Amino acid sequence: MRSGYYPRVTVIGTGYLGLTHAVCMADLGHEVLAIDVDEMKIAKAAAGETPFFEPGLEPLLRKTLESGRLRFTTSFADVGAFGDVHFLCVGTPEGEAGHADLSFVYAAADSLAPHLTSECLVVGKSTVPVGTARQLLARVQAAAPAGDRVELAWNPEFLREGFAVQDSLNPDRIVLGVTSDWGAALLRLVYATPLAGGTPLLKMDLETAELVKVAANAFLATKISFINVIAEVCEAAGADVVPLAQALGHDARIGNRFLAPGLGFGGGCLPKDIRAFSATASALGVGSLINLLTTVDTINLGRRDRVISLAREAVGGELAGKRVAVLGVAFKPNSDDIRDSPSLDACDRLVAEGAIVSVHDPVAMPNAAKQRPGLHYAQSVSDAAAGADLVLHLTEWADYQAIDPAALAQVVAQQVIIDARCCLDATGWSEAGWSVRVLGRP
Ligand SMILES: NC(=O)c1ccc[n+]([C@@H]2O[C@H](COP(=O)([O-])OP(=O)(O)OC[C@H]3O[C@@H](n4cnc5c(N)ncnc54)[C@H](O)[C@@H]3O)[C@@H](O)[C@H]2O)c1
């Protein structure tokens, strides 16, 4: 490695995780070269446009491009020649029987390895099953001209879409799975700024670092499914899950985050990560983990059934021919990500039962329209609700909490709303003449 320099960083895969990481690394002062196999994505990013919606990312992309510290390429030879530390940020989607599909990770490593001619560190950030890093290390060293002077570390990422920039610049912890003090020291240089700001660093072996990430996501998913089971109990008992969740959250041992009852989780991480962890548990013979995660998944998917059955009830038993306005298609607010979106799943079920569905979302409609061209996309909430027999609130954008229920009452056919995210002002909507049903509330 060149002495007297800060390590030069490359980022392989410029999706939600990789592009954010590349931009934030450059903002922290590093020289960064980012690569993707998707040439369109690279052309857009190089022109200062983010290929997805993430608050605060595009201005920072432009700033770091202008600084000259961030560049993009489609050449692995450039990446190999440039970097001291290569971050692997490619996707690990759900594959067969719930297993993580590692083909992108292996393809990226195979493309990079022949260009590693001198000492360097390959760092996995993608979420992978335990054991992947060690296999990858052997594979990369076998193919790299620099052989065992190439080391590997695992540095799982915990950013949240919607808060990705702040989470990357100020992570609440940095987890490093390393095989040598040299690798740890190099990553300490890369993360010098957040470490100086007090971010805790936790150093461990490769296997433990891989497991930290999937265990964290399994815990978060379990917390959401737990409160949703309690929501079912509340409905059966005539109790109210919203004040119940608030009261639980005040207990510091429980905490109020990831305790929002409603339609449950979706997106490109939690669902596929708990299924992949369950597949790992099966391979390791840990039956209790399979039971736990299967139950968490089943409870979560059950929320989608519940909202459809409430929708049926709300329109008098039959959805066929009814006009339904759906508010929100992103899997969560402040994102245009529609991967495993509970809302889009609900739309599919409504359409399957013959409902006429009109959807609105502040930013995710272009992505949804590519996947579900058959839905009607409305440019405003009132266009979506025009003539509706039912309004479904499925993604908790702040914009929807600011809707004036009296104004919306003017355009619908029936004043009936289901709040599947338990966050609208139910009293205000009722006072404006709406029949309001909230998941988990009497
Ligand atoms: N999105 C998140 O919030 C988040 C948070 C933490 C961890 N993760 C994990 O990070 C990983 C990436 O997730 P994502 O949401 O960014 O996925 P993504 O699909 O948005 O991005 C993956 C990118 O990798 C590129 N790619 C695929 N094969 C490649 C190759 N051989 N060489 C170079 N680029 C290649 C794709 O074109 C794509 O742009 C996953 O393992 C995910 O579980 C994601």
Side-chain angles (χ1 to χ4, degrees):
M1 171 152 359
R2 300 173 313 281
S3 60
Y5 284 86
Y6 259 60
R8 294 204 300 203
V9 169
T10 82
V11 175
I12 299 156
T14 60
Y16 287 93
L17 162 61
L19 184 60
T20 309
H21 189 63
V23 167
C24 290
M25 284 284 117
D27 192 54
L28 291 176
H30 298 296
E31 300 288 326
V32 180
L33 183 63
I35 186 167
D36 202 289
V37 285
D38 183 335
E39 292 181 7
M40 289 286 286
K41 241 181 207 175
I42 288 296
K44 249 186 145 174
E49 273 178 62
T50 52
F52 52 85
F53 175 82
E54 180 60 44
L57 186 60
E58 198 160 272
L60 208 56
L61 168 65
R62 295 207 171 131
K63 182 180 144 199
T64 48
L65 280 172
E66 276 162 27
S67 74
R69 286 195 302 277
L70 176 60
R71 291 183 304 112
F72 292 90
T73 183
T74 52
S75 155
F76 273 97
D78 289 354
V79 165
F82 179 85
D84 302 309
V85 177
H86 303 281
F87 284 102
L88 283 179
C89 298
V90 299
T92 50
E94 187 172 336
E96 238 171 78
H99 286 275
D101 174 356
L102 295 175
S103 58
F104 301 102
V105 173
Y106 288 128
D110 291 348
S111 301
L112 175 67
H115 303 289
L116 301 179
T117 53
S118 55
E119 182 181 64
C120 65
L121 184 67
V122 176
V123 184
K125 284 195 87 62
S126 304
T127 304
V128 293
V130 59
T132 306
R134 203 140 317 254
Q135 280 178 20
L136 211 56
L137 173 61
R139 188 166 171 141
V140 170
Q141 285 185 341
D148 62 9
R149 286 184 302 136
V150 178
E151 284 200 14
L152 186 127
W154 217 262
N155 167 220
E157 178 58 56
F158 301 96
L159 67 78
R160 298 161 300 163
E161 286 174 27
F163 302 91
V165 172
Q166 80 185 55
D167 287 351
S168 296
L169 292 174
N170 300 298
D172 48 19
R173 78 285 213 195
I174 294 170
V175 171
L176 298 185
V178 287
T179 57
S180 74
D181 289 342
W182 176 78
L186 202 50
L187 283 167
R188 277 180 189 278
L189 283 178
V190 169
Y191 289 114
T193 305
L195 291 175
T199 300
L201 181 144
L202 299 116
K203 195 175 115 182
M204 57 196 73
D205 57 66
L206 295 176
E207 288 75 14
T208 309
E210 293 170 312
L211 276 173
V212 168
K213 173 65 189 177
V214 285
N217 276 1
F219 184 80
L220 294 171
T222 302
K223 204 172 173 193
I224 295 173
S225 281
F226 175 81
I227 197 62
N228 280 330
V229 166
I230 300 300
E232 283 177 35
V233 174
C234 285
E235 281 194 31
D240 188 341
V241 72
V242 171
L244 181 148
Q246 282 166 359
L248 287 185
H250 278 287
D251 186 328
R253 294 168 302 174
I254 297 175
N256 59 11
R257 292 166 75 187
F258 272 69
L259 208 59
L263 187 52
F265 58 82
C269 291
L270 290 190
K272 61 116 176 142
D273 288 350
I274 60 167
R275 288 170 201 150
F277 199 15
S278 194
T280 301
S282 174
L284 295 172
V286 186
S288 47
L289 181 61
I290 305 172
N291 293 343
L292 173 71
L293 296 177
T294 307
T295 304
V296 166
D297 202 6
T298 305
I299 293 164
N300 189 54
L301 295 175
R303 304 309 287 164
R304 304 175 189 188
D305 299 335
R306 179 72 187 128
V307 83
I308 297 301
S309 88
L310 280 182
R312 244 183 254 121
E313 263 174 44
V315 297
E318 283 278 331
L319 282 160
K322 299 291 182 188
R323 294 189 172 274
V324 181
V326 166
L327 303 186
V329 291
F331 90 93
K332 66 189 277 196
N334 300 316
S335 174
D336 65 353
D337 194 346
I338 54 160
R339 290 178 288 185
D340 201 346
S341 159
S343 167
L344 276 181
D345 191 5
C347 290
D348 290 344
R349 295 174 192 218
L350 293 166
V351 169
E353 294 198 25
I356 303 151
V357 180
S358 182
V359 303
H360 176 266
D361 189 284
V363 300
M365 289 197 292
N367 282 348
K370 278 183 222 147
Q371 258 191 28
R372 307 286 203 287
L375 294 174
H376 176 258
Y377 294 91
Q379 290 313 308
S380 67
V381 170
S382 64
D383 282 355
D389 300 296
L390 172 65
V391 177
L392 287 182
H393 174 239
L394 301 188
T395 309
E396 66 275 34
W397 284 95
D399 299 17
Y400 298 150
Q401 285 152 58
I403 292 171
D404 175 358
L408 203 65
Q410 304 303 312
V411 303
V412 293
Q414 303 292 332
Q415 281 181 259
V416 184
I417 183 163
I418 295 173
D419 178 10
R421 292 297 180 179
C422 308
C423 60
L424 297 179
D425 169 16
T427 310
W429 281 77
S430 294
E431 284 171 2
W434 288 75
S435 157
V436 185
R437 192 69 213 266
V438 186
L439 285 192
R441 302 194 89 165

